[in-house]
Amino acid sequence: MRGRGLSTLFGLILALLLPVVAFRPAQIPLSDASESDPLDVWLEAEIPYALDGVLNNIGSRGAKATGVYEGVVIASPSKNDPNYFYTWTRDAALTIKCLVDAFAVSNDPRLQQAIRDYIDVQVSLQTVSTPSGDLATGGLGEPKFEADLVAFTGEWGRPQRDGPALRAIAIIAYADWLIEQGHASVVDSFLWPVVRNDLSYVSEYWNTSTYDIWEEVHGSSFFTTAVQHRALVDGAALALQLNRSCPNCLSQAPQILCFLQSFWSPSDAFIHANTNLHHNNNPPRRSGKDSSAILASIHAFNPLAAAACDDPTSFQPCSARALASHKAITDSFRPLYPINQGIPAGHAVAVGRYPEDVYQGGQPWYLCTLAAAQQLYHAVAQWKRLGSLNITAVNLPFFRDIYPSAAAGVYTSPSQTFCQLVEAVETYADGFMRIVQKYSPANGALAEQFSRVTGTPLSAKDLTWSYVALLTASAARAHARGTEQSDTDMSLAGLDTPPSPPPSLPNICAPTSATGPYIPATKISWPKMPCLAPGEETIPVRFNVRVSTIVGEDILVVGSVAALGQWDVRQAVRLSADEYGVVPLWYGVVELRVGREMEYKFIKRRADEDAGDVVWENRLNRELRVEEECLGGMVVNAVWGESE
Ligand code: NOJ
Ligand code: NOJ
């Protein structure tokens, strides 16, 4: 099968480090100083690898998503132990939000295409009748679907009410970008109806029990409530931009924020991740310390609408309560995992979902460890932006760990203490990234978990969410360090604006609800994307071929044009196996002239044999016409020996 699309190893690194003029892969000269830090060196390679990891898992062009409908984000290509070859509303929405933020900086057309394909899919997905209901009766809370968009009807922890909120947040972020580009009418006609259904779902069900994001316990969830609040706030802001209104957003958001306060325990000094649990079908009691609260602080955080860190209603990353929780949660894994033994307080450790976890052996997770870093990077960026940092009784224990002489008080920029405190947090955050670096395999692949004993990767391979977490944590890191510079960067825009006033809470929290409307959205007619930049004559063509090999064997591509060796196997292009895993993938990117037609084949060669000694694919020559489809290049998806 020949697909459209994907291109080079171009990655988010460009997005993070360069002011963007036009989309084009580039060699990025890193300064010597940053090159000498092993974390910087690792990230320089890992960021583009992770972006590939994400795009590989999105149908239909994704190299590891064969047979997956266009725009569907699978959780992982792993089909057994565990089978994650489904699309989860949560994972997919977090993925697209990450791509929207990256796209706003890089203009990489591959990302925009994935975003649009995803939104197209949601139009139909919202109307699928599921075991949770259909569009108007709660179906939006269905947690996962088959990769071909059919409802998943097996037993599962449903509903999971964070999904519609996260999807609204992701689509609104792209809607904001479209509006900035002058496409408000497209947003109004086509995106608003999709978003509105999700906002309706949130307004109706926020006060109704849900399964938590780990799909295990049924009750009230801090993560779910926090992102529901953000969805309605973002939704109301979008409505305003469109000269519409979202009365249900306005009536419910303050109540959600009111309810959100109840998860904080002043006596325990951390956020309890789940409350009101239905204990009849639940596992034994838990401490309540759970990294879903860290995930909540990063995903509910909208830097554009952020209040000051000491806003008493806020759980944003720099808030005292979120920092106290960060300490309580990460500390709970210190004595638990052998790989954390001997690491003193204030130094980063491997972080899992929650200490009582037994799923797949209850191991540390990459995405939880990365979230611990990301929260701190966001906090650093906020303190730098505000020019002040407040140590209170609540966050003092957090600061003491990383800055032993810390004392309550307000510290302002550019005082020495302010700078040292911020730097200590940054160093601590980097430590969590270094843990992930340490326990990642050399090729860069990120699974779901890593062993608490040996640190080797475990559970689902190539977990989309792990790659997303690496990308968002790295973007937050670049932002905190001020190495990301672009006026098209939405997350930086508004840096000069004062923080929003804290929202006022209702006097009494009330379990309210507001219903509807639910109206199926219609097929979207998108504005055209710009094509080749003037003067561009070649485009990156990515060759993906699935072929099982043994150590010592190489796969190459050879063909009729010079860039493919003109049928001389000694000039063939060697493909890379660094994404080989549950999917036996070899790939390579070749710049080819637009309009050229060519024939080619894949060949196999033992690395220790003469370059002329090869095994050819047993089939007719493959044919390729290089066409620019405005997608940042082309992608060819092939299976060794099979016809297209
Ligand atoms: C599968 C879920 O995805 C995972 O989060 C959960 O821990 C296990 N089921 C066990 O319930
Ligand atoms: C299990 C995790 O607990 C859940 O949060 C996630 O959505 C699924 N795996 C798919 O990645």
Side-chain angles (χ1 to χ4, degrees):
M1 182 186 83
R2 188 204 293 176
R4 301 172 293 156
L6 298 190
S7 64
T8 65
L9 270 181
F10 165 76
L12 211 64
I13 186 94
L14 174 66
L16 297 177
L17 299 177
L18 274 191
V20 168
V21 196
F23 165 71
R24 210 61 186 141
Q27 271 71 49
I28 299 125
L30 279 178
S31 73
D32 291 348
S34 62
E35 200 120 34
S36 60
D37 182 336
L39 176 58
D40 286 314
V41 174
W42 181 67
L43 284 176
E44 194 185 347
E46 185 64 20
I47 289 170
Y49 189 93
L51 186 59
D52 253 12
V54 171
L55 296 176
N56 282 344
N57 289 352
I58 305 179
S60 61
R61 286 177 287 277
K64 297 186 179 179
T66 20
V68 174
Y69 202 89
E70 194 157 72
V72 171
V73 183
I74 52 164
S76 150
S78 169
K79 288 190 174 166
N80 48 60
D81 196 25
N83 181 358
Y84 276 22
F85 207 78
Y86 296 94
T87 183
W88 269 262
T89 307
R90 168 181 40 262
D91 299 45
L94 292 173
T95 301
I96 296 305
K97 174 63 169 60
C98 163
L99 295 187
V100 170
D101 290 346
F103 170 68
V105 182
S106 72
N107 284 320
D108 180 343
R110 298 177 301 165
L111 310 190
Q112 174 153 245
Q113 191 59 42
I115 294 161
R116 289 184 174 190
D117 290 346
Y118 163 83
I119 301 175
D120 285 336
V121 162
Q122 307 317 306
V123 170
S124 48
L125 207 55
Q126 283 189 333
T127 65
V128 173
S129 174
T130 75
S132 296
D134 57 25
L135 174 60
T137 59
L140 300 183
E142 182 68 7
K144 70 172 192 182
F145 295 81
E146 304 279 352
D148 60 0
L149 297 185
V150 173
F152 168 76
T153 53
E155 209 179 302
W156 207 251
R158 61 167 68 87
Q160 294 175 22
R161 304 192 195 276
D162 58 319
L166 294 170
R167 178 165 57 199
I169 291 168
I171 299 178
I172 290 169
Y174 184 58
D176 287 343
W177 183 87
L178 280 174
I179 291 172
E180 267 177 35
Q181 306 298 310
H183 296 299
S185 68
V186 173
V187 172
D188 193 62
S189 313
F190 298 112
L191 299 199
W192 175 251
V194 185
V195 168
R196 183 178 52 199
N197 286 332
D198 286 336
L199 298 177
S200 295
Y201 181 89
V202 171
S203 339
E204 180 167 359
Y205 295 104
W206 67 267
N207 191 44
T208 313
S209 294
T210 178
Y211 271 86
D212 74 321
I213 65 168
W214 309 134
E215 321 190 280
E216 294 175 336
V217 294
H218 195 227
S220 304
S221 152
F222 177 78
F223 178 95
T224 302
T225 309
V227 298
Q228 286 174 333
H229 177 250
R230 176 176 180 181
L232 297 195
V233 170
D234 288 3
L238 176 63
L240 209 61
Q241 286 202 71
L242 298 173
N243 294 318
R244 290 176 172 268
S245 69
C246 178
N248 293 350
C249 300
L250 298 174
S251 69
Q252 301 307 297
Q255 287 300 343
I256 301 181
L257 188 61
C258 204
F259 178 52
L260 193 63
Q261 311 302 313
S262 70
F263 292 87
W264 168 255
S265 161
S267 54
D268 288 343
F270 64 83
I271 297 161
H272 281 257
N274 305 292
T275 59
N276 303 319
L277 290 183
H278 301 182
H279 274 289
N280 42 355
N281 55 2
N282 277 332
R285 274 211 161 281
R286 297 187 187 178
S287 61
K289 297 170 190 169
D290 187 316
S291 52
S292 63
I294 295 180
L295 287 160
S297 94
I298 65 182
H299 293 300
F301 176 57
N302 182 347
L304 283 181
C309 301
D310 51 6
D311 161 15
T313 69
S314 153
F315 290 97
Q316 64 176 307
C318 61
S319 68
R321 294 182 296 182
L323 291 171
S325 299
H326 186 286
K327 171 174 164 56
I329 295 160
T330 52
D331 279 356
S332 75
F333 298 104
R334 292 180 183 277
L336 196 65
Y337 300 148
I339 56 171
N340 289 343
Q341 290 308 287
I343 301 178
H347 292 262
V349 286
V351 179
R353 299 196 296 183
Y354 54 93
E356 303 83 2
D357 195 3
V358 293
Y359 174 55
Q360 301 272 341
Q363 317 291 344
W365 284 43
Y366 293 104
L367 72 91
C368 296
T369 309
L370 289 161
Q374 187 174 338
Q375 181 188 334
L376 302 183
Y377 291 131
H378 285 319
V380 166
Q382 277 286 78
W383 290 319
K384 287 186 178 171
R385 171 191 174 199
L386 300 167
S388 88
L389 179 163
N390 196 355
I391 300 188
T392 67
V394 173
N395 62 24
L396 180 62
F398 167 85
F399 283 106
R400 279 254 161 95
D401 280 349
I402 54 169
Y403 192 85
S405 61
V410 179
Y411 301 91
T412 52
S413 172
S415 74
Q416 204 192 12
T417 315
F418 173 84
C419 296
Q420 287 173 347
L421 283 166
V422 169
E423 202 183 303
V425 176
E426 230 173 303
T427 303
Y428 188 36
D430 277 356
F432 290 98
M433 304 293 279
R434 291 183 208 281
I435 294 279
V436 168
Q437 176 186 2
K438 177 170 180 186
Y439 296 119
S440 305
N443 68 353
L446 293 181
E448 182 184 66
Q449 312 182 24
F450 49 106
S451 161
R452 54 159 86 197
V453 181
T454 62
T456 54
L458 292 173
S459 190
K461 301 282 186 302
D462 288 320
L463 188 78
T464 313
W465 192 357
S466 293
Y467 290 126
V468 166
L470 183 285
L471 294 173
T472 56
S474 309
R477 179 174 187 261
H479 189 181
R481 293 153 63 102
T483 45
E484 179 194 47
Q485 356 151 332
S486 164
D487 45 24
T488 55
D489 174 14
M490 293 162 45
S491 58
L492 269 184
L495 249 179
D496 302 330
T497 57
S500 314
S504 54
L505 293 180
N507 290 334
I508 302 170
C509 294
T512 55
S513 165
T515 309
Y518 298 102
I519 304 163
T522 51
K523 189 174 160 16
I524 302 169
S525 157
W526 294 105
K528 252 183 105 53
M529 300 204 298
C531 289
L532 283 182
E536 278 184 329
E537 289 172 350
T538 65
I539 57 167
V541 177
R542 177 169 156 138
F543 292 89
N544 294 317
V545 58
R546 293 171 179 238
V547 46
S548 295
T549 47
I550 55 169
V551 179
E553 283 176 343
D554 281 339
I555 299 295
L556 304 90
V557 59
V558 66
S560 56
V561 294
L564 296 181
Q566 260 160 338
W567 289 123
D568 174 358
V569 295
R570 291 167 195 276
Q571 306 297 320
V573 178
R574 185 181 173 275
L575 304 185
S576 167
D578 75 356
E579 294 179 0
Y580 191 107
V582 272
V583 173
L585 176 66
W586 286 81
Y587 75 97
V589 179
V590 185
E591 282 283 329
L592 293 172
R593 199 166 290 279
V594 175
R596 277 306 289 270
E597 291 181 8
M598 63 200 71
E599 297 193 345
Y600 68 98
K601 262 191 183 185
F602 296 106
I603 54 178
K604 189 186 291 184
R605 180 166 76 201
R606 284 202 57 89
D608 55 6
E609 265 172 25
D610 181 83
D613 202 355
V614 302
V615 178
W616 290 83
E617 271 188 291
N618 184 12
R619 50 154 291 150
L620 294 176
N621 288 343
R622 295 174 184 272
E623 289 169 8
L624 174 67
R625 189 188 148 79
V626 180
E627 282 161 313
E628 171 55 282
E629 299 183 69
C630 312
L631 300 175
M634 278 186 88
V635 63
V636 167
N637 279 314
V639 178
W640 173 271
E642 281 183 15
S643 52
E644 271 145 41

